[in-house]
Amino acid sequence: VSASKARREYNRVFMEELGRMKRITQSNESKFDKKFHITGESSVGIGPSCFAAKVLRSACGSKLKFIYLVRNPIERMISQHKMRVRTNRTDKFLYSPDLEVTLERDIKDFLKVQPRSNNWWERRGAIPCLFKEDYFNSGWSGLYVVHRSRWLQYYNPSNLLILKSEDFFKDPAKVLNQAFAFLGVDDRDLPVDDITKKVYNAASRAS
């Protein structure tokens, strides 16, 4: 199974589960019992998703917290190209294995659909969805001002913590402690230094 097919299937199942949660939720607030557990989920596709914020707010309520790990947009585009090459998503119909050709194509494709109005990403309830799947365009995923604006239409700023990947790479323990503080997790008994020494996603780190 290719990485792209696996990711689409993951997103499909995730959205189906959110729909199920919405159906069984009787109010606009989450039914999770805070006394017993904290649960989390991670995905590179949720941040730039055109639909996730609305569905999550409807299914789980207003008290969810989100950590958005961003990085230099140019570095992110290069990383996404490397992922495409590694997962064999480079052919004449999709993407060239040549970095410059691929990035030029992605930028041109974005400029074709970019709205001409000023500050179009600030339209209340009407932010356009330029690419339904973030991996179709490497530039779209890195437009954090757009995605942040969409999330803030459904959640308060206090529910969203934005962290820079560059800071995380430089000092993982410090950034992890920021995340714990944001989530209200007591980290006094957690081996933070040991946790940050382990490589959890070798493919991403390699890119």
Side-chain angles (χ1 to χ4, degrees):
V1 180
S2 68
S4 59
K5 288 183 179 179
R7 184 166 171 182
R8 285 197 296 269
E9 178 63 14
Y10 168 84
N11 288 335
R12 182 188 68 79
V13 173
F14 179 68
M15 297 302 282
E16 284 183 354
E17 180 64 15
L18 286 177
R20 185 189 68 81
M21 293 173 64
K22 180 180 179 180
R23 290 192 295 273
I24 66 175
T25 300
Q26 298 177 352
S27 72
N28 196 39
E29 297 300 329
S30 172
K31 295 297 184 179
F32 291 127
D33 192 330
K34 297 179 182 179
K35 294 185 296 183
F36 295 105
H37 70 275
I38 295 176
T39 187
E41 193 277 339
S42 65
S43 170
V44 296
I46 296 301
S49 169
C50 299
F51 317 105
K54 181 178 180 179
V55 173
L56 282 166
R57 176 59 190 261
S58 178
C60 304
S62 62
K63 295 183 180 180
L64 298 184
K65 289 189 175 184
F66 303 92
I67 299 176
Y68 204 155
L69 192 63
V70 304
R71 68 187 300 183
N72 181 300
I74 301 300
E75 292 294 329
R76 196 211 170 283
M77 292 177 73
I78 295 173
S79 176
Q80 184 160 335
H81 173 75
K82 291 180 179 179
M83 179 63 75
R84 287 170 175 171
V85 173
R86 187 162 52 246
T87 55
N88 296 318
R89 285 186 57 81
T90 53
D91 59 47
K92 61 181 179 181
F93 300 109
L94 293 172
Y95 312 102
S96 167
D98 183 272
L99 174 63
E100 183 176 348
V101 171
T102 295
L103 297 190
E104 182 177 1
R105 171 180 168 170
D106 279 356
I107 292 172
K108 286 183 177 179
D109 286 347
F110 169 75
L111 292 176
K112 289 178 183 177
V113 298
Q114 179 187 14
R116 302 305 177 193
S117 57
N118 294 329
N119 300 334
W120 54 267
W121 56 86
E122 295 179 353
R123 298 176 187 170
R124 184 69 186 176
I127 300 176
C129 184
L130 304 186
F131 298 91
K132 292 184 178 180
E133 301 286 357
D134 67 285
Y135 55 81
F136 285 160
N137 189 280
S138 59
W140 171 246
S141 298
L143 288 176
Y144 301 118
V145 65
V146 177
H147 310 314
R148 177 182 180 275
S149 181
R150 193 191 308 279
W151 280 94
L152 291 181
Q153 291 191 1
Y154 297 95
Y155 289 93
N156 292 324
S158 59
N159 292 70
L160 182 64
L161 175 65
I162 298 179
L163 299 172
K164 294 171 61 178
S165 294
E166 292 80 5
D167 293 339
F168 180 69
F169 298 152
K170 182 179 179 180
D171 192 343
K174 179 180 178 180
V175 174
L176 188 58
N177 283 324
Q178 285 182 264
F180 285 151
F182 170 70
L183 297 173
V185 174
D186 186 350
D187 63 340
R188 287 176 295 181
D189 296 325
L190 293 176
V192 175
D193 290 336
D194 292 337
I195 292 173
T196 56
K197 289 177 182 178
K198 182 178 179 180
V199 177
Y200 293 88
N201 189 337
S204 296
R205 288 286 293 274
S207 64

